[in-house]
Amino acid sequence: ISTDDRGNLYLADIGGDGIARTYSAIHRVEEPDPADQFGPARIEQSWFIRFPGAREDCESFFVLNGYGYLVTKARVVGSVSIWRFFMGSATFSTLEFVASIETAGNVADASLSADGRRLAFITNDGVEVFFINGNPASISRDARADTELSLEDMEGVAFTPNGLLVTRDGAICVRHVGVRSK
């Protein structure tokens, strides 16, 4: 689940989990009223995306400047990859490689700060925050801050006005960005 700078809500069906399929899907939906206890979310637009080569497992999606970005989950030789597609009028898109970045662990979620300057990854070792200044292609291990957390099953991360909101199975924990720089 992600949002963009206009408040649109996106549901990304991008995980692998052993599913054999050609395309993954991103859906922009009308945000449901939290007062409603049930009911479908109305899909406003869908994009069907695929990798140019072998399909990769992803759990992270964010939107920036008209592009949808996916971050691969599993590290390959210590790094994960960032891919993107243009969210213009095309319904079917082939992802474009953006960057590769070394991480401490597998990436379970990513979040972009409201100003587009920071990109956070939640891994099994904690939170890694990269200073991208609105350009994910500029991601670098030299421009980052880490927060080590000793929580199991960390699944989600989101920027808040006071830091980062980290979620895990059955619990929420708030941590601030930039505890330790590398």
Side-chain angles (χ1 to χ4, degrees), residues 75-107:
R75 295 182 308 153
V76 176
V77 192
S79 297
V80 296
S81 298
I82 301 173
W83 297 82
R84 75 178 187 175
F85 68 98
F86 181 62
M87 299 179 83
S89 60
T91 303
F92 291 89
S93 296
T94 299
L95 293 167
E96 171 189 359
F97 177 79
V98 175
S100 182
I101 185 70
E102 186 180 317
T103 60
N106 291 342
V107 177

Side-chain angles (χ1 to χ4, degrees), residues 102-173:
E102 186 180 317
T103 60
N106 291 342
V107 177
D109 193 18
S111 181
L112 185 68
S113 64
D115 62 8
R117 297 182 64 211
R118 296 169 293 160
L119 178 62
F121 292 165
I122 189 79
T123 72
N124 49 332
D125 289 334
V127 178
E128 299 181 35
V129 178
F130 300 92
F131 301 94
I132 63 167
N133 292 320
N135 181 7
S138 72
I139 196 166
S140 167
R141 285 196 53 83
D142 296 331
R144 64 185 251 163
D146 296 335
T147 300
E148 292 182 20
L149 300 175
S150 59
L151 301 172
E152 293 182 19
D153 302 323
M154 292 181 286
E155 292 289 329
V157 63
F159 280 93
T160 68
N162 297 319
L164 286 172
L165 175 71
V166 175
T167 62
R168 65 185 190 100
D169 286 342
I172 295 176
C173 173

Side-chain angles (χ1 to χ4, degrees), residues 7 37 42 51 57 61 65 69 84 108 138 153 161 163 165 169:
Q37 293 185 6
R42 189 174 72 79
F51 287 89
D57 189 14
F61 173 75
N65 297 329
Y69 289 85
R84 75 178 187 175
S138 72
D153 302 323
L165 175 71
D169 286 342

Side-chain angles (χ1 to χ4, degrees), residues 9-70:
L9 183 66
Y10 297 86
L11 304 177
D13 181 10
I14 56 176
D17 294 331
I19 299 171
R21 59 183 174 181
T22 306
Y23 289 91
S24 294
I26 309 293
H27 307 285
R28 185 177 68 219
V29 299
E30 180 180 312
E31 187 160 5
D33 183 347
D36 292 341
Q37 293 185 6
F38 58 90
R42 189 174 72 79
I43 295 175
E44 297 176 334
Q45 186 169 356
S46 295
W47 296 268
F48 299 94
I49 55 175
R50 68 178 179 84
F51 287 89
R55 188 175 191 291
E56 304 233 15
D57 189 14
C58 299
E59 292 187 357
S60 308
F61 173 75
F62 63 95
V63 176
L64 178 64
N65 297 329
Y67 285 88
Y69 289 85
L70 285 75

